[in-house]
Amino acid sequence: MPVSCFDLDQIEGDLQLDIGKTGETFECNDGTSINLENLPLFRDEQGPVGSPSNQGSRGNPNDSTEKAVTIIYSFCGAAPVEKQLSSISTILETHAQAEIIDSCIITAENS
């Protein structure tokens, strides 16, 4: 399942789910640039920051991240997401000393 994670202190304004516009690109973590036209993506006031298939070079969590959001993309219902949420919560508590973890599942029916 694709996963995106963003450092909320690096996001300008709201993080919004959108579709890439004609000519829109972003630089990936590996330095390559991808065409985002017609692809699902997340953007803030500065532009695209990530998509289900690629994380942009902006907004990435690092050792000083204090507030983050992790997004799990599922195209086969909520059940697989519940298992992933549990795994990610354990990883965050164990390896990132996370203290407050909130989660919710957004579906087409409740969005």
Side-chain angles (χ1 to χ4, degrees):
M1 253 185 270
V3 176
S4 294
C5 189
F6 303 105
D7 180 333
L8 292 176
D9 288 329
Q10 296 182 46
I11 300 299
E12 304 247 348
D14 293 331
L15 188 63
Q16 298 178 346
L17 179 62
D18 201 2
I19 299 295
K21 297 174 175 57
T22 302
E24 201 162 38
T25 63
F26 70 46
E27 184 177 325
C28 298
N29 285 330
D30 64 4
T32 61
S33 182
I34 64 166
N35 179 358
L36 297 170
E37 184 174 350
N38 296 320
L39 296 178
L41 57 84
F42 281 91
R43 71 171 70 248
D44 67 2
E45 289 177 3
Q46 290 187 22
V49 293
S51 72
S53 61
N54 290 287
Q55 184 81 11
S57 60
R58 192 170 58 82
N60 290 323
N62 55 52
D63 291 342
S64 63
T65 297
E66 294 185 10
K67 295 183 287 183
V69 61
T70 301
I71 300 161
I72 304 168
Y73 307 90
S74 175
F75 303 100
C76 55
V81 174
E82 292 171 3
K83 184 176 179 183
Q84 283 290 95
L85 283 173
S86 176
S87 296
I88 288 173
S89 293
T90 299
I91 290 167
L92 290 172
E93 290 167 344
T94 304
H95 300 288
Q97 293 75 47
E99 296 174 2
I100 301 171
I101 299 174
D102 290 327
S103 62
C104 68
I105 296 176
I106 300 170
T107 65
E109 291 81 31
N110 71 8
S111 59

